[in-house]
Amino acid sequence: MPIKFPFTKSKPKPDPQSPGLDYKQLPQHVAIIMDGNGRWAKNKGLPRIAGHKEGMNVVKKIVRHASNLGIEVLTLYAFSTENWKRPKTEVEFLMKLPMEFLNTYLPELIEKNVRVETIGDFERLPEHTKTAVQEAKDRTKDNTGLILNFALNYGSRYEMVEAVKIVAEEVKQGNLDVDKIDEGCISRHLYTADLKEPDLLIRTSGEQRLSNFLLWQLAYSEFWFTDVYWPDFDEAYFEKALYDYQNRKRRYGGV
Ligand code: V07
């Protein structure tokens, strides 16, 4: 795995007393709630969609960086089941972003050995969104590098309800004993069945809640929050999150 040097941007000041990132002990799975795109735009007197567009460019930067660092899974909350309540024009704009992203970036993802995956209710996305994302999934399905996992039309409670329905049906059909229902059984019926649980959750823009994101999967994860809006997030902040994660692990790792 090629290891790149740490970024030299100076914003989050590294502690001069401590060594830098330990590239051999990075979190394997990082999940991010990319919040603050609308507020970033509003502060600049721009329409909300300008914030989403800028946010998309930050996704590219962070994906490149995560891939260079050798992180295994990056799960990004791109569109929640609640987001349908936003104005129609905004939803339409958001639903075009996957295509816009992939039009310019899919060749680089393929070249970098990245595998595109999604979690969420894929079937109920607009046809043009599904087509673009499905093409990316198909063309990267054999890649063995970073798993770039987009949560699209994702809601954690809905995910759990659907899992329970499938399990209940198995019981009803006589294929599963009630006593055999355990945590593993539930996990295997979530969208994330094939993924390790996130080690680290990052949320930008000052909110400190989960907003129906990976409620089951984040049970043991470290949480890292910043007031920075997602369009202002960059590689240096990302490394600061990884660095803080490692220090937390080091502090209670000894006991
Ligand atoms: C979206 C940009 C990032 C900030 C948060 C909201 C807006 C990338 C994608 C995407 C999704 C699937 C895919 C390739 C790219 C995306 C939505 C919104 C709906 F295969 N950014 N981004 N999708 N935002």
Side-chain angles (χ1 to χ4, degrees):
M1 202 67 70
I3 307 265
K4 291 270 167 77
F5 288 107
F7 272 68
T8 48
K9 283 198 180 167
S10 60
K11 260 180 257 171
K13 288 264 189 298
D15 181 349
Q17 298 300 311
S18 315
L21 266 185
D22 178 354
Y23 294 97
K24 290 191 246 16
Q25 306 248 10
L26 291 166
Q28 294 172 319
H29 184 173
V30 179
I32 310 183
I33 303 176
M34 308 178 288
D35 199 10
N37 302 285
R39 262 170 289 169
W40 176 90
K42 193 178 176 212
N43 284 352
K44 289 189 143 33
L46 297 169
R48 288 176 61 81
I49 57 170
H52 296 317
K53 181 112 192 236
E54 192 59 28
M56 186 187 78
N57 292 324
V58 174
V59 171
K60 291 183 187 174
K61 283 202 278 192
I62 298 304
V63 169
R64 271 188 201 113
H65 200 56
S67 166
N68 287 339
L69 287 169
I71 285 170
E72 289 169 37
V73 187
L74 185 66
T75 296
L76 302 177
Y77 206 0
F79 194 89
S80 79
T81 49
E82 313 303 307
N83 288 156
W84 295 110
K85 294 178 195 148
R86 294 190 180 172
K88 188 162 172 274
T89 50
E90 186 177 339
V91 170
E92 281 172 1
F93 183 86
L94 285 167
M95 283 300 142
K96 286 185 198 141
L97 283 183
M99 188 171 53
E100 184 165 342
F101 180 95
L102 294 164
N103 273 345
T104 58
Y105 198 45
L106 183 56
E108 187 179 331
L109 294 176
I110 293 169
E111 198 250 328
K112 289 230 160 81
N113 197 25
V114 173
R115 190 169 107 212
V116 176
E117 288 281 353
T118 62
I119 53 172
D121 188 2
F122 193 78
E123 279 318 303
R124 275 190 269 186
L125 291 168
E127 213 54 51
H128 68 275
T129 311
K130 280 197 280 187
T131 306
V133 176
Q134 192 58 51
E135 188 200 331
K137 288 203 235 182
D138 292 342
R139 291 182 62 190
T140 62
K141 70 175 174 22
D142 296 322
N143 288 354
T144 55
L146 174 72
I147 297 174
L148 173 54
N149 184 31
F150 285 103
L152 269 180
N153 195 18
Y154 176 85
S156 187
R157 288 185 175 182
Y158 177 81
E159 173 186 41
M160 288 194 260
V161 168
E162 291 306 298
V164 168
K165 281 190 200 164
I166 296 168
V167 174
E169 193 61 36
E170 286 172 16
V171 173
K172 191 175 154 196
Q173 299 297 323
N175 298 326
L176 178 66
D177 197 300
V178 170
D179 300 329
K180 290 270 153 57
I181 300 174
D182 58 7
E183 292 183 12
C185 167
I186 301 294
S187 295
R188 283 191 295 278
H189 288 86
L190 301 174
Y191 297 124
T192 49
D194 298 327
L195 300 173
K196 185 186 173 296
E197 288 171 4
D199 304 291
L200 172 65
L201 170 81
I202 295 173
R203 182 170 188 157
T204 58
S205 192
E207 311 298 341
Q208 303 197 354
R209 45 195 152 79
L210 287 182
S211 302
N212 205 17
F213 187 49
L214 301 174
L215 301 179
W216 175 279
Q217 298 87 340
L218 291 168
Y220 298 100
S221 313
E222 293 290 331
F223 290 3
W224 190 90
F225 300 106
T226 175
D227 288 339
V228 170
Y229 297 139
W230 178 251
D232 290 325
F233 196 78
D234 63 12
E235 296 90 340
Y237 287 114
F238 188 63
E239 288 212 358
K240 179 68 164 72
L242 301 178
Y243 178 83
D244 289 348
Y245 166 85
Q246 289 187 336
N247 281 338
R248 290 188 208 171
K249 286 277 164 196
R250 258 194 285 276
R251 242 177 283 136
Y252 60 66
V255 287

